[in-house]
Amino acid sequence: MLSLNANELLSLKNLVDSRRPGYGLPRQFYHDELLYQAEIETIWRQGWLFAGHSCQIPNPGDYFLYSVEGDSVIVVRDDDGEVNALYNVCRHRGSVICQEPEGSVRRFICPYHSWTYDRKGQLLLHHGMQDGLDNSQFGLHRAHAREVEGMIFISLAETPVDFDPVYETIAPVAKPQGMPRAKVARIMDFDVASNWKLVWENNRECYHCTVNHPQYVKANFDHYNADDTLPRVAERLKTVTAHLETKLAEQGMYLREETGMTPFPDPDNGIWYAANRTPLVEGYVSETMDGKQVAPLMGDYTDPEVGTLRVRTLPNFWVHASCDHSVAVRLTPNGLTHTSIRMIWLVDGKAQEGRDYDLEKILPFWLLTAEQDWGICTNQQRGVSSHAYTPGPLSTYKEYNLDRFLRWYLQEMKAGLE
Amino acid sequence: MLSLNANELLSLKNLVDSRRPGYGLPRQFYHDELLYQAEIETIWRQGWLFAGHSCQIPNPGDYFLYSVEGDSVIVVRDDDGEVNALYNVCRHRGSVICQEPEGSVRRFICPYHSWTYDRKGQLLLHHGMQDGLDNSQFGLHRAHAREVEGMIFISLAETPVDFDPVYETIAPVAKPQGMPRAKVARIMDFDVASNWKLVWENNRECYHCTVNHPQYVKANFDHYNADDTLPRVAERLKTVTAHLETKLAEQGMYLREETGMTPFPDPDNGIWYAANRTPLVEGYVSETMDGKQVAPLMGDYTDPEVGTLRVRTLPNFWVHASCDHSVAVRLTPNGLTHTSIRMIWLVDGKAQEGRDYDLEKILPFWLLTAEQDWGICTNQQRGVSSHAYTPGPLSTYKEYNLDRFLRWYLQEMKAGLE
Amino acid sequence: MLSLNANELLSLKNLVDSRRPGYGLPRQFYHDELLYQAEIETIWRQGWLFAGHSCQIPNPGDYFLYSVEGDSVIVVRDDDGEVNALYNVCRHRGSVICQEPEGSVRRFICPYHSWTYDRKGQLLLHHGMQDGLDNSQFGLHRAHAREVEGMIFISLAETPVDFDPVYETIAPVAKPQGMPRAKVARIMDFDVASNWKLVWENNRECYHCTVNHPQYVKANFDHYNADDTLPRVAERLKTVTAHLETKLAEQGMYLREETGMTPFPDPDNGIWYAANRTPLVEGYVSETMDGKQVAPLMGDYTDPEVGTLRVRTLPNFWVHASCDHSVAVRLTPNGLTHTSIRMIWLVDGKAQEGRDYDLEKILPFWLLTAEQDWGICTNQQRGVSSHAYTPGPLSTYKEYNLDRFLRWYLQEMKAGLE
């Protein structure tokens, strides 16, 4: 746990209170090492973090590692089919047990002195130790793990906040996508020279889309806001929404007509998780460069016209899913000024590369969008690091979600510093 | 601004008072991160810094960037021909605006959301923002900028010290060199693993020249001091000076006969800027390997025998100029133990490479001298970092300017910590 | 010296008291920068450190450098044949004097202003300085140096602990190896991403040997402990020991029969130095891959059956020597999470590579063992850095020396923080 003296605590509290409403965050939020440590404790070691997809570990013994600020966690499926989150640290001398980022094991055997644990982390063997050692006291330390529709979340908190409302919100909306029966088409990892909050701030507004994401704005309506949804655009959106609503209703799905990005998060009601569908523009059935379907339909879908499924949870996850593929983004802070970002493309579990889909058609849309965003965030980090940076006003038309994100963040920090 | 608690402030004040007169600085001056931060605030964010030459940005819209400890400044010529120093940070979300180190722009357009500023930094456009935003409140933040004879100085201070005395001192001496009508022959950047003060300490004495700079001592007299200016050398210096004084008088220039380096700075009188001429040895008309002229005469010169013009300002600039070219050195601290150094070679604006000059003849003299010095400074940084380092006595014959520099530095720090 | 405020001192004292007896050290011991600085002051700047072998500097003027946390020391043989440890920092401006890691000098001449020192560090010349400078006040600062049987130890302490008991313990046991008449066969340097204590912890137990060092356990008995020295093994050990005792007695050497590693260190009696002989298994006369002799006998040996000589001193040295070669290991902390490790292979001084020995036969045994250990230590450092790491119980059968090391370490730290 972070130990702060009275002066440090006071200075952080003052910092958290220093934001001018309607404006961005002051420089110290992207530059203060102590604040960063407090964020790790308050947000990253308390919240629920997307770790990966359940289809990455379909069988007992399959595992992958996920590290948060140096704490490596083994996400492993056990013999009962349950997902476990075990700290990757031997209970004997503290050696890392799994060194490969993913794999499959019968048992976990520490490479140092061969202490051996089962797939739930229970200690089985410790040859060479004195008698009287109680195995039940030396199982691998555990984090919390939950699955919802093929998305695995973990929490490093001792007593994490209730996950059930998250499950209840996400599961019904995400279910038709069939992620649990999907397969990984591609995983890509990025190191972005930007504070994790800037990545979210960028994600929470599409004010920057027209200039920076030409391919994205061709496929979507959500960069149009109250100020620039011209009558012609409003008419198109109305028509497209009405058409899609009918289609979805047949498949038991739901859509809400709205201009601009769906409001998220909702700090006034403590909401840091969401799932919804949005329409694509006319002629687009998938977020691809030309809008065409590029892989077999996923999950329960019987028709490619399903718009896009969007799931997001703070502080580290969002996914955009079309009828034929989904793209998850996982953020992990890597120091004050860097963020490790993993992107995971899923397709239907039975699809075969070459026969049923071609990565060259699946990847470009979101890879391009992502790399444009990483460039933007890197550039912004350099700017907000300047002593000359002063927070500017946010657009009430186009940056309302960014304001919501900042308010959520400050609320969490305030609570954490109490 | 640097915020220090009472203990930190006291410890810095004690450190600043700890130098034994006539000796070098104690180890902590090259090893204490807090002192370094105080130097940045007290000296680097308060003083006037040489940024570059005006001939680097001859036309409206031409700009180059200069960064000091992460604060990027756009040095740009506006439509009135004035030089502006604008912080390279958008007033909206803080993104860096100019990413290229130099270029030419019609307007500054932020790549994030297209906020648009004119060449003086005034906000012109902010499509997508709510009404009622007062453009005049959101121009780019400004630093101060002044030009003197083709040398651009900026200050990050809110209210910098008066530049007029600097102008009045430098302008008349530098004028004949004609730097405003010059052109860049070459720019080279170095990262030297040495605290910025050691680079100055090295620059302020020629005790090291005989062993380390064989080419320099062939061309100059100033490494001879009161203790080793033998009668034969004194006689030569007298003759050379008398000859050059006559020559210069015809061109309205001035020279003072003296042994050793010209005294600089003058902390007792608050003088951190200077300009003067010194003679070269017999047969040398330019600081080149063989002393021969290697490019057309610059500025108002009508005769190559002009000695060398030397201009220097603390904390970051010196220039050595011969009849045919000038070499500026710009220092920028890059953390406690590194200094970024830029060298700029100028020649007459009308000279053409290949036809009128050849870089292979212009560069070696100062490039060699500089690289010898960077090696010395790196070596010294390693030594003074040792716990075994104790400051030694300075030579009263040969290191009087180093003593002056240290006294100037301590005086500035003392004032800054009041 | 390290300056700690009252809170820092208290927190370090509490940390040092926080170990649960019989368990490993808590995470902060491998993660706290302040503790590391205290270790440097208390242990590394106070203790005796193995620097190198005397055969590396056989003649007057021969030197090598050894750096501890940025403090470079010149270990040089003077004209009287004595070894001197001189700080590599000029007394004038603090420049590093010797830049090459080893060499031979007539005098030490500072490359900056040519201040000149003799091989004992006395200042001889300082051309260019004012009169009245007392040379005797400006000799190079000195560390302490002692030689024992070809092993050079230095201490950076003002008044180091008495070295005589170390000498008296090591000299008679090591003498037959003849290290002073040896020559360097090979020096290799490693940077291991592990705190220095983990390297010692690994060195102080052979619990990990069976799985990690297959070649080592073929040659040695000391990985067998009270719990797994089966009757058959005990019988073999007894036979081998009896045979070797007789052989050694003829040569005036001594061996003690025991199971497991020789107890070391002995914190209850303040013992941080040791030397002893251990038997090799049947058929092995040297710690080589096949147990065969691979170089001429060293020192006074007349028979290859001498077991292995082992010398070790805390905090930075151990050596394993067979009849024909010796392998020294020197540790140096390189920050909190890195250790610089030098390995030095010696053979008889008259042996010639190619004719009398072949590096490909000498190096593999210990190089393999070392690299296996460096991998283990790196892996452990990653694990103990996790917030999830909690110290585990040590094996009373197999990790008793590790426990001794930890107790020695805590005792030193406790004393240093008084």
Side-chain angles (χ1 to χ4, degrees):
Chain A
M1 295 297 292
L2 189 67
S3 72
L4 299 169
N5 66 39
N7 282 342
E8 291 170 335
L9 187 62
L10 184 62
S11 104
L12 286 186
K13 284 183 175 182
N14 287 342
L15 179 55
V16 164
D17 285 338
S18 70
R19 182 201 176 210
R20 179 175 169 188
Y23 280 66
L25 297 177
R27 172 174 185 266
Q28 293 95 311
F29 282 91
Y30 310 104
H31 211 260
D32 188 291
E33 189 59 46
L34 199 62
L35 177 80
Y36 175 72
Q37 296 301 332
E39 291 175 354
I40 295 294
E41 288 303 326
T42 295
I43 292 177
W44 291 88
R45 289 204 220 286
Q46 293 301 320
W48 285 96
L49 309 178
F50 173 75
H53 282 295
S54 61
C55 65
Q56 293 177 253
I57 49 170
N59 302 309
D62 291 351
Y63 79 88
F64 62 84
L65 303 182
Y66 180 38
S67 285
V68 180
E69 271 291 305
D71 294 353
S72 173
V73 174
I74 308 167
V75 179
V76 59
R77 193 171 299 279
D78 66 26
D79 300 280
D80 304 324
E82 296 296 312
V83 173
N84 294 254
L86 308 172
Y87 283 99
N88 189 13
V89 179
C90 183
R91 291 297 305 279
H92 174 219
R93 296 265 297 284
S95 183
V96 156
I97 293 174
C98 292
Q99 299 186 66
E100 295 301 317
E102 59 188 42
S104 189
V105 295
R106 204 166 65 83
R107 292 167 168 190
F108 294 106
I109 303 174
C110 179
Y112 205 166
H113 306 91
S114 301
W115 281 33
T116 301
Y117 306 84
D118 72 14
R119 290 158 165 180
K120 285 183 191 293
Q122 288 306 306
L123 180 59
L124 298 175
L125 300 171
H126 50 70
H127 292 312
M129 296 299 294
Q130 52 272 37
D131 294 340
L133 212 65
D134 176 3
N135 279 10
S136 73
Q137 299 301 306
F138 293 100
L140 295 179
H141 290 300
R142 301 178 65 83
H144 298 268
R146 287 293 297 269
E147 263 188 279
V148 50
E149 282 301 323
M151 294 167 273
I152 299 171
F153 292 83
I154 68 171
S155 177
L156 311 184
E158 202 165 324
T159 311
V161 297
D162 190 4
F163 192 78
D164 289 346
V166 187
Y167 187 93
E168 286 153 21
T169 298
I170 293 175
V173 183
K175 186 169 182 303
Q177 190 75 32
M179 289 185 195
R181 292 112 69 195
K183 64 178 258 194
V184 171
R186 183 67 176 270
I187 292 180
M188 294 181 77
D189 289 303
F190 304 83
D191 180 68
V192 180
S194 175
N195 182 276
W196 67 275
K197 296 188 293 298
L198 292 180
V199 181
W200 267 115
E201 294 179 39
N202 176 67
N203 172 269
R204 292 291 76 214
E205 51 93 352
C206 217
Y207 185 5
H208 69 276
C209 292
T210 314
V211 169
N212 289 281
H213 301 313
Q215 73 290 341
Y216 182 85
V217 297
K218 274 191 207 161
N220 286 278
F221 282 106
D222 60 353
H223 61 290
Y224 290 114
N225 291 278
D227 62 324
D228 59 3
T229 304
L230 304 176
R232 196 174 55 86
V233 173
E235 189 57 36
R236 284 175 53 207
L237 178 57
K238 189 173 173 180
T239 306
V240 162
T241 305
H243 174 73
L244 192 56
E245 272 179 334
T246 312
K247 281 263 187 185
L248 291 177
E250 291 164 10
Q251 305 176 53
M253 292 182 280
Y254 171 81
L255 187 77
R256 183 172 61 175
E257 183 185 344
E258 59 192 338
T259 288
M261 294 171 71
T262 308
F264 175 82
D266 183 354
D268 300 325
N269 294 294
I271 302 300
W272 48 272
Y273 47 85
N276 68 304
R277 284 187 187 276
T278 57
L280 292 169
V281 302
E282 309 88 328
Y284 276 73
V285 297
S286 182
E287 288 188 322
T288 57
M289 296 303 279
D290 61 4
K292 293 199 168 45
Q293 183 179 342
V294 291
L297 291 179
M298 289 181 73
D300 305 332
Y301 297 141
T302 55
D303 185 313
E305 288 194 63
V306 296
T308 64
L309 165 70
R310 299 179 179 191
V311 182
R312 52 192 82 83
T313 64
L314 287 167
N316 90 325
F317 174 61
W318 65 82
V319 69
H320 270 237
S322 296
C323 64
D324 54 348
H325 73 290
S326 82
V327 190
V329 175
R330 183 187 76 180
L331 309 185
T332 316
N334 181 20
L336 183 56
T337 60
H338 282 255
T339 305
S340 298
I341 306 184
R342 166 164 284 196
M343 294 179 73
I344 308 174
W345 281 262
L346 299 185
V347 294
D348 179 67
K350 298 200 192 66
Q352 287 185 21
E353 191 179 347
R355 186 189 71 183
D356 300 319
Y357 68 92
D358 182 352
L359 283 177
E360 289 183 21
K361 295 201 169 172
I362 291 182
L363 299 181
F365 185 93
W366 275 110
L367 183 53
L368 210 56
T369 305
E371 291 181 334
Q372 290 154 351
D373 282 330
W374 311 160
I376 286 169
C377 293
T378 300
N379 203 34
Q380 191 182 7
Q381 176 69 42
R382 289 169 53 219
V384 299
S385 294
S386 171
H387 288 79
Y389 162 66
T390 46
L394 302 180
S395 169
T396 52
Y397 293 126
K398 296 177 182 303
E399 293 173 308
Y400 51 90
N401 269 343
L402 195 167
D403 184 70
R404 283 165 172 264
F405 168 72
L406 295 182
R407 287 192 291 118
W408 168 83
Y409 162 79
L410 293 171
Q411 188 172 287
E412 292 292 309
M413 291 303 291
K414 205 173 169 76
L417 293 170
E418 282 310 313
Chain B
M1 294 298 292
L2 190 66
S3 72
L4 298 168
N5 66 37
N7 281 342
E8 291 170 335
L9 186 63
L10 184 62
S11 106
L12 286 186
K13 284 183 175 181
N14 286 341
L15 179 55
V16 164
D17 284 339
S18 70
R19 182 200 176 210
R20 179 175 170 187
Y23 280 67
L25 296 178
R27 172 175 185 267
Q28 292 96 311
F29 282 91
Y30 311 105
H31 210 261
D32 188 292
E33 188 60 44
L34 200 61
L35 177 80
Y36 175 71
Q37 295 302 333
E39 291 176 353
I40 295 294
E41 288 302 326
T42 295
I43 292 177
W44 291 88
R45 289 203 220 287
Q46 293 301 319
W48 285 97
L49 310 178
F50 173 75
H53 282 296
S54 61
C55 65
Q56 295 176 253
I57 47 170
N59 303 308
D62 291 351
Y63 79 89
F64 62 82
L65 302 182
Y66 180 39
S67 284
V68 179
E69 272 291 306
D71 295 352
S72 173
V73 175
I74 308 167
V75 179
V76 59
R77 193 170 299 280
D78 66 26
D79 300 280
D80 303 326
E82 296 296 312
V83 173
N84 294 254
L86 308 173
Y87 284 100
N88 189 13
V89 180
C90 183
R91 290 297 305 279
H92 174 218
R93 295 266 297 283
S95 183
V96 156
I97 293 174
C98 292
Q99 299 186 66
E100 295 301 316
E102 59 188 42
S104 189
V105 295
R106 204 166 65 83
R107 293 167 167 189
F108 295 107
I109 304 176
C110 178
Y112 205 166
H113 306 90
S114 301
W115 281 34
T116 301
Y117 306 84
D118 72 14
R119 289 158 166 179
K120 285 183 192 294
Q122 288 305 306
L123 179 60
L124 299 175
L125 299 172
H126 51 70
H127 291 312
M129 297 298 293
Q130 51 273 38
D131 294 339
L133 213 66
D134 176 2
N135 279 9
S136 73
Q137 299 301 306
F138 293 101
L140 295 179
H141 289 300
R142 301 178 65 83
H144 298 267
R146 288 292 299 267
E147 264 188 276
V148 51
E149 282 300 322
M151 295 167 271
I152 299 170
F153 292 84
I154 68 171
S155 177
L156 312 185
E158 202 166 327
T159 311
V161 298
D162 191 4
F163 192 79
D164 289 347
V166 187
Y167 187 92
E168 286 153 21
T169 297
I170 293 174
V173 183
K175 187 171 181 302
Q177 192 74 32
M179 289 184 195
R181 293 112 69 194
K183 62 178 259 193
V184 171
R186 185 67 177 268
I187 292 180
M188 294 181 77
D189 290 303
F190 304 84
D191 179 69
V192 179
S194 176
N195 182 276
W196 68 274
K197 295 188 295 295
L198 293 180
V199 181
W200 266 114
E201 294 179 39
N202 176 67
N203 172 270
R204 292 292 75 215
E205 51 92 351
C206 217
Y207 185 5
H208 69 277
C209 292
T210 314
V211 170
N212 290 281
H213 302 312
Q215 73 291 341
Y216 182 86
V217 298
K218 274 192 209 161
N220 286 278
F221 281 106
D222 60 352
H223 62 288
Y224 290 114
N225 291 278
D227 62 326
D228 59 3
T229 305
L230 304 176
R232 196 175 55 87
V233 174
E235 189 56 38
R236 284 175 53 208
L237 178 57
K238 191 174 172 178
T239 306
V240 162
T241 304
H243 173 72
L244 190 57
E245 272 178 333
T246 312
K247 282 264 187 185
L248 291 176
E250 291 165 9
Q251 305 177 55
M253 291 182 281
Y254 172 81
L255 187 78
R256 182 172 63 175
E257 183 185 345
E258 59 192 336
T259 289
M261 295 169 70
T262 307
F264 176 82
D266 183 355
D268 299 326
N269 294 294
I271 302 300
W272 49 271
Y273 46 86
N276 69 305
R277 283 185 188 276
T278 57
L280 292 169
V281 303
E282 309 89 329
Y284 276 72
V285 297
S286 182
E287 287 188 323
T288 57
M289 295 304 280
D290 61 4
K292 294 198 167 44
Q293 183 180 342
V294 291
L297 292 178
M298 288 181 73
D300 305 334
Y301 297 141
T302 55
D303 186 313
E305 288 194 64
V306 295
T308 63
L309 165 69
R310 299 179 179 191
V311 182
R312 53 192 82 82
T313 64
L314 287 166
N316 90 324
F317 174 60
W318 65 81
V319 69
H320 270 237
S322 296
C323 64
D324 53 349
H325 73 289
S326 83
V327 190
V329 175
R330 182 188 77 181
L331 309 185
T332 316
N334 181 21
L336 184 57
T337 60
H338 282 256
T339 306
S340 297
I341 306 184
R342 166 164 285 195
M343 296 180 71
I344 308 174
W345 281 262
L346 298 185
V347 293
D348 180 68
K350 296 198 193 68
Q352 287 184 22
E353 190 179 347
R355 187 190 70 183
D356 301 317
Y357 68 92
D358 181 351
L359 284 176
E360 289 182 23
K361 295 201 169 171
I362 291 182
L363 300 181
F365 185 93
W366 274 111
L367 182 54
L368 210 57
T369 305
E371 289 181 335
Q372 290 154 352
D373 282 329
W374 311 161
I376 286 168
C377 293
T378 300
N379 203 33
Q380 192 182 6
Q381 177 69 42
R382 289 170 52 219
V384 299
S385 295
S386 171
H387 288 80
Y389 161 67
T390 47
L394 302 181
S395 169
T396 52
Y397 293 127
K398 297 178 182 301
E399 293 172 307
Y400 50 89
N401 269 342
L402 195 167
D403 184 69
R404 284 165 172 262
F405 168 73
L406 296 182
R407 287 191 292 116
W408 168 83
Y409 162 78
L410 293 170
Q411 188 171 287
E412 293 291 308
M413 291 303 291
K414 205 174 169 76
L417 293 170
E418 282 311 312
Chain C
M1 294 297 292
L2 189 68
S3 73
L4 298 169
N5 66 38
N7 281 341
E8 291 170 335
L9 187 62
L10 183 62
S11 104
L12 286 186
K13 284 183 175 182
N14 287 342
L15 179 55
V16 164
D17 285 338
S18 70
R19 182 200 176 210
R20 179 175 169 186
Y23 280 67
L25 297 178
R27 172 175 185 265
Q28 293 95 310
F29 282 90
Y30 310 105
H31 209 260
D32 188 292
E33 188 60 44
L34 200 62
L35 177 81
Y36 174 72
Q37 296 302 333
E39 291 175 353
I40 295 294
E41 288 303 325
T42 295
I43 292 177
W44 291 88
R45 288 202 221 286
Q46 294 301 321
W48 285 97
L49 310 179
F50 173 76
H53 283 294
S54 61
C55 65
Q56 294 176 252
I57 49 171
N59 302 309
D62 291 350
Y63 79 88
F64 63 82
L65 303 183
Y66 181 38
S67 284
V68 180
E69 272 291 304
D71 294 353
S72 173
V73 174
I74 307 168
V75 179
V76 60
R77 193 170 299 280
D78 66 27
D79 300 281
D80 303 326
E82 296 296 313
V83 173
N84 295 253
L86 308 172
Y87 283 100
N88 189 13
V89 180
C90 182
R91 290 298 304 279
H92 174 218
R93 295 266 296 283
S95 184
V96 156
I97 293 174
C98 292
Q99 299 185 67
E100 295 301 316
E102 59 187 44
S104 189
V105 295
R106 205 166 65 82
R107 292 168 167 189
F108 295 106
I109 304 175
C110 179
Y112 205 165
H113 306 91
S114 301
W115 281 35
T116 301
Y117 306 84
D118 73 13
R119 289 158 166 179
K120 286 184 190 294
Q122 288 306 305
L123 180 60
L124 299 175
L125 300 172
H126 51 70
H127 291 312
M129 296 299 293
Q130 51 272 39
D131 293 340
L133 213 64
D134 176 2
N135 279 10
S136 74
Q137 299 301 307
F138 293 100
L140 294 179
H141 290 300
R142 301 179 65 84
H144 299 267
R146 286 292 300 268
E147 262 189 278
V148 50
E149 282 301 322
M151 294 167 273
I152 299 170
F153 292 83
I154 68 171
S155 177
L156 311 185
E158 203 165 326
T159 311
V161 298
D162 191 4
F163 192 79
D164 289 346
V166 187
Y167 187 93
E168 287 153 20
T169 298
I170 293 175
V173 184
K175 187 171 182 302
Q177 191 74 33
M179 289 185 196
R181 293 114 69 194
K183 62 178 260 194
V184 171
R186 183 68 177 268
I187 291 181
M188 293 181 78
D189 290 303
F190 304 83
D191 179 68
V192 180
S194 175
N195 182 275
W196 68 274
K197 296 189 294 296
L198 293 181
V199 181
W200 266 115
E201 294 180 39
N202 175 67
N203 173 270
R204 290 292 77 215
E205 51 94 352
C206 218
Y207 185 4
H208 69 276
C209 292
T210 313
V211 168
N212 290 281
H213 301 313
Q215 73 290 342
Y216 182 85
V217 297
K218 275 192 207 161
N220 286 279
F221 282 105
D222 59 354
H223 62 289
Y224 291 113
N225 290 279
D227 62 325
D228 59 3
T229 305
L230 303 176
R232 196 174 54 87
V233 173
E235 190 56 36
R236 284 175 52 207
L237 178 57
K238 189 173 174 180
T239 307
V240 163
T241 304
H243 173 72
L244 191 57
E245 273 179 332
T246 312
K247 282 262 186 186
L248 291 176
E250 291 165 10
Q251 304 176 56
M253 293 181 280
Y254 171 80
L255 187 78
R256 183 172 62 175
E257 183 186 344
E258 58 192 338
T259 289
M261 294 170 70
T262 308
F264 176 82
D266 183 355
D268 300 326
N269 294 295
I271 303 300
W272 48 272
Y273 46 86
N276 68 305
R277 282 186 189 275
T278 57
L280 292 169
V281 303
E282 309 88 329
Y284 275 72
V285 297
S286 182
E287 288 188 321
T288 57
M289 295 304 281
D290 61 4
K292 294 197 167 46
Q293 183 179 342
V294 291
L297 291 179
M298 288 181 72
D300 305 331
Y301 298 141
T302 55
D303 185 313
E305 289 193 63
V306 296
T308 64
L309 165 69
R310 298 177 180 194
V311 182
R312 53 191 81 84
T313 65
L314 287 167
N316 90 324
F317 174 60
W318 65 81
V319 70
H320 271 238
S322 296
C323 65
D324 54 348
H325 73 290
S326 83
V327 190
V329 175
R330 182 187 77 180
L331 309 185
T332 316
N334 181 20
L336 183 57
T337 60
H338 282 256
T339 305
S340 298
I341 305 184
R342 166 164 285 196
M343 296 179 72
I344 308 174
W345 281 261
L346 298 185
V347 294
D348 180 67
K350 298 198 191 67
Q352 286 185 22
E353 191 178 348
R355 187 189 69 184
D356 300 318
Y357 67 93
D358 181 351
L359 283 177
E360 289 182 23
K361 294 201 170 171
I362 291 182
L363 300 182
F365 184 93
W366 274 111
L367 183 52
L368 210 56
T369 305
E371 290 181 334
Q372 290 154 349
D373 281 330
W374 311 159
I376 286 168
C377 293
T378 300
N379 203 32
Q380 192 181 7
Q381 177 69 42
R382 289 169 54 218
V384 299
S385 294
S386 170
H387 288 80
Y389 162 65
T390 47
L394 301 180
S395 169
T396 53
Y397 292 127
K398 297 178 182 300
E399 293 172 307
Y400 51 88
N401 269 343
L402 195 167
D403 184 70
R404 283 164 171 265
F405 168 72
L406 296 182
R407 287 191 294 118
W408 168 84
Y409 162 79
L410 293 170
Q411 188 172 285
E412 292 293 308
M413 290 303 292
K414 205 174 169 76
L417 294 170
E418 283 311 313

